[in-house]
Amino acid sequence: MSGVDDDSDETTARKARYRCGLVLVLGLVMLWGGSTDYVTQEDRLENAIEVEATIVETDIDRQTGDGTRYYPAIEFEYRYDGTTYSSSNLNPADSRSSHSTRSSAQSVVDQYPEGDTVTAYVPPSEPEGAFLEADRSSGPYLFLLGGVLTTGYGLVMLRRLWRNDEVSIQ
């Protein structure tokens, strides 16, 4: 009878270690993604060169999953260093800004009517990556915060596993 309990305890412990590892990996990936996006955003903002751009097309992308999210889609063309480029980056971060309502995304799109001439910002190291708004996006900070919280939770799980292993050894 005790052999069955030992197998059950071992299976439970194995599952707990797997979940802990998964949470830690997820947290570290979020930290890496957030920090990479943060560094990219800061570099683009620091070195951006202003150019004139023309709004070519606007739309709103809709994605569903854990709720519906709306993304302003604004395509613009510009010339930099003698070459014509096209971009749809709204801000300097790699993460896209989303909105919970269509009307909120529409208010962003309405700021950029098709055919208008606007100022775009070109990072010289990647001239195809121009963006329209020279403001910091909250995306990298949210990923960093999520990474810190998830990694912290994973470390708490790991500490509990170690304590349980110490108790079962004695």
Side-chain angles (χ1 to χ4, degrees):
M1 207 51 126
S2 88
V4 172
D5 288 341
D6 288 344
D7 288 345
S8 175
D9 288 346
E10 182 57 36
T11 301
T12 302
R14 188 177 311 119
K15 287 180 181 178
R17 286 191 295 269
Y18 176 77
R19 282 192 305 269
C20 178
L22 194 60
V23 168
L24 283 170
V25 167
L26 177 63
L28 292 172
V29 166
M30 291 174 73
L31 282 171
W32 176 81
S35 61
T36 311
D37 203 11
Y38 172 80
V39 169
T40 299
Q41 175 175 258
E42 292 303 309
D43 181 57
R44 289 175 180 163
L45 281 170
E46 184 178 314
N47 298 308
I49 295 171
E50 291 184 12
V51 298
E52 278 191 0
T54 303
I55 304 299
V56 176
E57 185 179 353
T58 61
D59 199 0
I60 296 174
D61 294 336
R62 179 177 174 241
Q63 292 184 348
T64 57
D66 291 339
T68 302
R69 303 298 299 171
Y70 299 92
Y71 297 86
I74 302 162
E75 185 179 345
F76 57 97
E77 288 183 346
Y78 56 97
R79 286 185 63 76
Y80 175 75
D81 208 18
T83 304
T84 301
Y85 295 94
S86 176
S87 178
S88 59
N89 296 331
L90 198 55
N91 59 55
D94 284 334
S95 52
R96 294 174 60 192
S97 61
S98 70
H99 301 267
S100 58
T101 64
R102 183 174 181 81
S103 61
S104 179
Q106 186 65 51
S107 69
V108 174
V109 170
D110 288 345
Q111 296 174 35
Y112 301 99
E114 290 181 17
D116 268 15
T117 300
V118 296
T119 299
Y121 303 90
V122 179
S125 62
E126 52 182 320
E128 70 285 350
F131 50 93
L132 294 175
E133 298 178 356
D135 299 324
R136 283 175 175 76
S137 167
S138 61
Y141 303 105
L142 293 175
F143 262 98
L144 284 169
L145 177 62
V148 166
L149 293 175
T150 304
T151 303
Y153 179 66
L155 291 173
V156 167
M157 290 173 69
L158 185 62
R159 177 140 170 86
R160 286 183 182 162
L161 285 173
W162 276 339
R163 283 191 168 180
N164 288 343
D165 283 347
E166 289 174 1
V167 168
S168 65
I169 291 172
Q170 296 176 352

